[in-house]
Each structure stands twice: as structure tokens, then as C-alpha cells.
Amino acid sequence: MDGLNALLEGMSAALTPMNLVYAFLGVLLGTAIGVLPGIGPAMAIALLLPLTLTLPVQQAIIMFAGLYYGGMYGGSTTSILLNTPGESASVMTAIEGNKMAKAGRGAAALSTAAIGSFVAGTIATLLLALLAPQVVKFAIQLGDPDYLAVMLFAFVAVTTVLGSSKIRGFASLGLGVWIGLIGIDQTSGQQRLTFGIDQLSDGIDVVVVAVALFAMGEALWIAAHLRRAPAQIIPIKGRLMTKEDLSRSWRPWLRGTAIGFPFGAIPAGGAEIPTFLSYVTERKLAKKPEEFGHGAIEGVAGPEATNNASAAGSLVPLLTLGIPTTATAAVMILAFQSYGIAVGPRLFEEQGPLVWTLIASLLIGNAMLLVLNLPMAGLWAKLLLIPRPYLYAGILMFASLGGYAANGSPFDLWLLLIVGGLGFAMRRYGLPIVPLIVGLILAPRAEIFMRRALQISDGNLSGLVNTPFSKVVYALILLLVIVPLVWSKVRGRRNTPEDQHTGTDDVRMPANNEGA
């Protein structure tokens, strides 16, 4: 009950007029940005990060939390009305939601998505409040070898789970580690990886890297794939939800929450797998499975609930261990770091009021989002009519302003251009962005833990694995690497050539209008 008591105290702080204003601004901007195709919450927070450094830390974090949840809500509107998932976690929503919209049931699809997101977000936030203090109690007892093992687990998990190629994932991770280690070696005092450039001796500002990767790289990529034809938006028609819709939706909402939260809470990264599992589960449990692929409401309710529960679950490793599992969580860590706050087990002790105000603001923002989304879905859809060239030109301009505002250094503009070009190239060649940003954030900390563990053991490598917890984590890492390889070989032997040609999964991926 400690968590719930602390949550009540955080609620009293979050309900102050100014904090409510910033929570509302966050959910408003998050929903607006989430509606726009290709602009997810990670890009939104990265863009606003340099521009909010003058705000008090509590209000800035509250606004970022609103952006996080709002972006998740807004993505469903694009998926349903435009058949264009703003991010991969919304793919499953687009499959059935767009079919419902074409059949004149767009209002029902948007309603079940909004209510499901509210239900899942509320339950998952309460679970976060209950679970986080217990994880912190355990995490405080861990030593340097344990933390090093957990970070290596995060490296491997994020790299092997995200993306279609493990090689590309590890390449992206290597780039992130390399960028994260640029600067002065804290032990020897010597410059490393700076190529003699004095401006790099203090390392590369992570805010500049985030803005370049998420804003410039994404905007350049989408701009390079713009189609000349305007987007075809399906008008919102029909009743919000009938009694039958409600009866068919409440179980998927709860099942989606049960699936999404644990997947978000483990450092394995991404909401893609749980939303897919939710979709498959609902298809198998549905009383009318023949409707799947033609606009089944369960196929919208389950994945949308899963999506939001996973987002709340990802805050567990973020706040308690300092490990990001999604792109947005990674940018949230950068937001904390930009205020000089170290995310991890000590966060609840050193910044307890801030953390509980943040969690309480998630509940408040969740309620605000329900009010904003249900009656105003048509208004949000009009944002899709903004001409894309103007939209992405504006993003590039704000990214440049933000990159310069971070330190007021013209050199950062060159870095912004170079890293933005790197982000474009990574998308071009299929390298996932998240492993890079996770490597960038965690590599310096992993280096510190490794050095401390080696110093304690007088340089003996056994000092890295001399605790029971670290041995368990390294065993999990081995399983994470070996099991998929074995499973892939076994599955390849079982499948006949005909099976490989036709496939067993009839889930259809929606076409991305941007061609991304």
C-alpha cells in the first residue's frame, strides 16, 4: 500500500492549477502529433526537449508524460481513418479499424480504441504504482556486476527483439555505444574517439542526437517518400458504440491490459509483439471469427488496450532501473538527464515527490484524453489535411532551432545535420533506431559499472559474474540468443515448401501511404 499512499500524495501535487495546465498541454499536443502520420511521441518529446529546458522540471516531466500517452491515443485515429499506422504498435489497430471505418462504423472503432486506451492506461498506471516500489526495494540491493548484467540484457533484448535482422540490430547498437563513449575517458583523462576535434571532448549532447535521429532523420525519410496524391481520409460515420459493441469490447480491453503491461515491464522492448499477440488472441476467442479481416471490433479493442498498457509498463524499468525499452522511454530518460536527474533505483528516494507527481499526472492525463478524444475525433482528423511539405518543413525548422537551443553552439548544427543524415541512412538500410539510442544512453553507465566491478575484483574477470543474480541474468541472455536460433531451425525443418510459400498467418499488413 506504500505505492498507493505515495500516489495519493502525488495526486494532490499534480492537481495544482499550473500542473493541470501543463498536463492538458501535453495531452493536447500529444494527441495532435500522434494523429499526424510518421510523427510519434518519441519525435514529439525530442522536438520539445530543448525548448522546455527553461520550464520547472516537474511541469516539464508532466507535459512529457502527457505527450507520451497522447501520442499513443492519437495514433489510433490515423490508423483507423487513414489506414496509416503512425508507429508499428498501431499496425494491428489499422487492420480491423480501417475496415470498420470503410463500412461506416468509424465512430464505433474510434470509441472502442479511446475507451480501451483509457481502461488499459488507468489499470496499468495503478499497477505501475504498486509494482515500482517493490522493484526499487530489490534493485537497491544489487551490486555493480548485477547492474552491468542487467544492462547487457537490455542491449541483447532490445537488439534481438526489434527489427527484422539481428545483425542490423547489433550494428545499430554498436553505433550507439560508439557515440556514447565519445569524449574524455574519466579514468585516464585522455580524449577518445574525438578525432582531434576539441568540441567533442565533452562528448556529444544526447539531446542533439535525439532531435537529429527522431526528428530530422524521420522527417527527411518521410519527405523523401511523399506521394503527390493527397491523403484519402474516411469520414467518421455511425453511432459511437452500441450495446453489442460494448459487450464485445470489454473483455478484449481487460485481456489487452493483461498482455500489454507485463511485456512493457520487462526490458525486451517494443509494443509490437504484445499487440500482435492480443490480435491473435482475440481472433481465436471471438464468437464471430469470420469478421476478422472485415472489421471486427475485438481486433481494435484488444490491440489498442495492449498498446497503452505496454506504454505504462515500460515506465517500470525506466523509473526503477533506468533502462528504456521503447524509443519514447529512451527520450524520456534524456528528458530526465537534461535536468541532471539520474533515473534508476535511487530516483524514488532522491526525487520521490517528482516521480509520484509524474505517475499521478498519467492518471489525470488519461482522463483528459478520454474527454478530448471521444467528442473531438472529427476535429483531430482534420489535422490530416495539413499539406505534408509544409508539415515536415516545419519539423525540420523546429529541429534545427531545438538543436541549436540545447547549447547555443553552431557546432551542434553540424552535428544535427550529420546525425540526421545517419538517421536517414539507417531507415534506408533497415537499421532500427532504438538499439542506437539505448546504446547511447546505457553505454557510459555500463562502462562505469564494469570498471567498478573489475576494481573490486582486482581486475579478475570473474568479478563480473560473481553474484547469483548476475549469473541468472547471463543465463537469460544466453537463452535469449540461443532459443530463437534453435526455434528457427526447428521450424524450418517442420515447414514444407508449400507451407513456406503460403504461410500460416493471414494477418495482412496495411499499406503505408508514405511508402515508408
Side-chain angles (χ1 to χ4, degrees), residues 145-454:
D146 303 317
Y147 280 115
L148 175 64
V150 170
M151 289 184 181
L152 292 177
F153 178 81
F155 285 158
V156 176
V158 171
T159 304
T160 55
V161 171
L162 296 176
S164 56
S165 166
K166 294 179 178 57
I167 294 175
R168 291 189 177 98
F170 278 110
S172 174
L173 177 68
L175 281 171
V177 171
W178 179 69
I179 296 174
L181 295 180
I182 290 175
I184 295 177
D185 186 318
Q186 294 184 5
T187 302
S188 66
Q190 299 295 314
Q191 291 189 13
R192 63 183 180 189
L193 306 174
T194 60
F195 304 104
I197 302 173
D198 292 337
Q199 289 90 338
L200 292 178
S201 58
D202 292 331
I204 297 179
D205 193 316
V206 290
V207 174
V208 174
V209 177
V211 172
L213 284 176
F214 289 107
M216 291 204 75
E218 185 71 22
L220 288 173
W221 172 254
I222 293 175
H225 292 77
L226 280 176
R227 291 182 176 179
R228 294 183 179 179
Q232 298 297 319
I233 305 169
I234 302 172
I236 302 173
K237 295 180 181 177
R239 297 173 58 186
L240 290 180
M241 287 185 81
T242 63
K243 286 186 178 179
E244 183 186 359
D245 291 333
L246 192 61
S247 173
R248 293 174 60 177
S249 294
W250 71 270
R251 289 185 182 87
W253 291 337
L254 297 180
R255 280 194 291 263
T257 306
I259 293 172
F261 184 80
F263 269 90
I266 59 174
E272 297 84 0
I273 293 176
T275 51
F276 176 76
L277 286 177
S278 173
Y279 181 84
V280 173
T281 301
E282 297 308 326
R283 189 173 60 175
K284 291 195 178 292
L285 296 178
K287 294 180 179 178
K288 298 178 180 178
E290 68 278 4
E291 289 190 7
F292 274 75
H294 304 283
I297 196 168
E298 295 93 339
V300 179
E304 270 302 303
T306 305
N307 192 359
N308 281 267
S310 177
S314 69
L315 295 177
V316 176
L318 170 71
L319 296 176
T320 59
L321 298 173
I323 294 178
T325 58
T326 64
T328 311
V331 184
M332 287 284 286
I333 282 189
L334 301 183
F336 279 100
Q337 289 180 348
S338 65
Y339 283 94
I341 298 173
V343 181
R346 300 290 177 188
L347 179 66
F348 281 76
E349 288 183 0
E350 297 169 356
Q351 300 287 343
L354 172 65
V355 175
W356 289 110
T357 304
L358 164 67
I359 297 175
S361 71
L362 292 174
L363 290 173
I364 295 169
N366 210 27
M368 288 179 175
L369 282 166
L370 186 66
V371 176
L372 277 175
N373 276 267
L374 273 181
M376 298 174 63
L379 182 62
W380 295 120
K382 292 187 184 301
L383 291 174
L384 297 170
L385 298 176
I386 297 176
R388 307 297 174 79
Y390 298 160
L391 176 64
Y392 293 108
I395 290 173
L396 290 174
M397 184 189 74
F398 276 109
S400 302
L401 286 174
Y404 180 76
N407 299 299
S409 168
F411 182 73
D412 283 345
L413 287 176
W414 286 106
L415 280 179
L416 199 71
L417 187 62
I418 295 170
V419 180
L422 173 66
F424 176 84
M426 290 177 69
R427 287 165 175 82
R428 167 65 181 82
Y429 294 103
L431 272 69
I433 298 294
V434 177
L436 187 153
I437 205 75
V438 169
L440 169 70
I441 293 171
L442 295 186
R445 295 171 57 195
E447 181 190 16
I448 292 173
F449 289 128
M450 183 180 70
R451 287 188 167 181
R452 286 180 185 167
L454 289 174

Side-chain angles (χ1 to χ4, degrees), residues 143 145-146 462-472:
D146 303 317
S462 63
L464 302 179
V465 290
N466 60 358
T467 64
F469 182 80
S470 64
K471 291 175 182 175
V472 171

Side-chain angles (χ1 to χ4, degrees), residues 71-85:
M72 304 300 286
Y73 265 72
S76 63
T77 303
T78 312
S79 299
I80 292 169
L81 299 183
L82 200 60
N83 198 26
T84 303

